[in-house]
Amino acid sequence: MSQPCLPQQARRTGAFTLVELAVAVAVIGILAALAIPYFKRTLDRSRMSTLENDLRIYEQDFDTYELKNGFYPASQPTAGVNPVGMEGQMSRAWILPSPVGGTYRWVYSTEEKPEDRIAYIEIIGSPEHPIILDTRQLAKIDDELDDGNISSGRMVLYGTNIRYYLRQ
């Protein structure tokens, strides 16, 4: 017995149906919706970890300078510029925007009494390089480096800038 001949239109071709395409697009959309927040959290954690490591390295650089010379280098009023005398000792990352935005600046007060002197690394936000951390993220960094309170201790939110004190 022979099979009846199907009309040309009823034969199955190798194409996808509209329903199959819609299901595939929906699955891809769901996967993307799940992946994007995870990617953002991972990126934020990476930035925070990089900032923590950078601050530790810079602190060591400044402490080494102080051990060699008996004092910290003079303040650098311009952000994104190496302090005088430390040009060859600092990582190139000092003159670039920080991992969380803003640019680094070194401040050392030369008060009369040594106990009144303060030294800190400041991250200064600007329109070109805004700081992209919220206070919750900054508190996490502060918890790793200090006391977890961004209004006291070694790491302080000062206006829109971040200060990391080496000496208070």
Side-chain angles (χ1 to χ4, degrees):
M1 200 170 193
S2 71
Q3 287 189 333
C5 236
L6 294 174
Q8 185 70 16
Q9 297 168 340
R11 289 190 191 143
R12 177 108 173 129
T13 62
F16 292 106
T17 66
L18 189 57
V19 173
E20 291 170 329
L21 288 175
V23 168
V25 168
V27 168
I28 291 170
I30 291 169
L31 291 174
L34 294 173
I36 289 173
Y38 178 77
F39 176 74
K40 185 180 178 334
R41 275 194 309 274
T42 303
L43 187 61
D44 288 345
R45 272 187 257 142
S46 173
R47 283 185 185 129
M48 293 184 325
S49 177
T50 302
L51 178 63
E52 290 171 21
N53 289 330
D54 285 353
L55 289 173
R56 286 182 182 123
I57 290 168
Y58 298 147
E59 180 178 13
Q60 288 175 346
D61 291 343
F62 286 112
D63 287 345
T64 300
Y65 183 95
E66 183 191 30
L67 287 171
K68 285 182 183 176
N69 301 296
F71 52 88
Y72 284 116
S75 292
Q76 180 53 263
T78 307
V81 177
N82 283 320
V84 174
M86 295 195 65
E87 294 84 0
Q89 300 173 23
M90 305 269 313
S91 163
R92 178 162 157 54
W94 177 269
I95 63 174
L96 301 173
S98 83
V100 296
T103 49
Y104 295 108
R105 182 174 77 111
W106 170 248
V107 177
Y108 178 58
S109 72
T110 54
E111 296 295 322
E112 194 73 28
K113 297 180 196 171
E115 62 270 10
D116 292 337
R117 296 178 185 165
I118 59 171
Y120 59 88
I121 298 166
E122 187 168 38
I123 302 173
I124 300 174
S126 67
E128 302 86 37
H129 304 291
I131 295 175
I132 54 174
L133 279 180
D134 61 30
T135 53
R136 180 185 51 79
Q137 294 168 320
L138 186 57
K140 282 184 180 179
I141 295 170
D142 188 73
D143 193 37
E144 291 288 325
L145 297 173
D146 190 25
D147 61 358
N149 184 352
I150 58 172
S151 58
S152 67
R154 295 185 65 200
M155 179 169 262
V156 177
L157 182 62
Y158 188 80
T160 59
N161 301 332
I162 301 167
R163 289 184 176 177
Y164 181 70
Y165 288 92
L166 278 62
R167 175 184 288 171
Q168 290 177 287

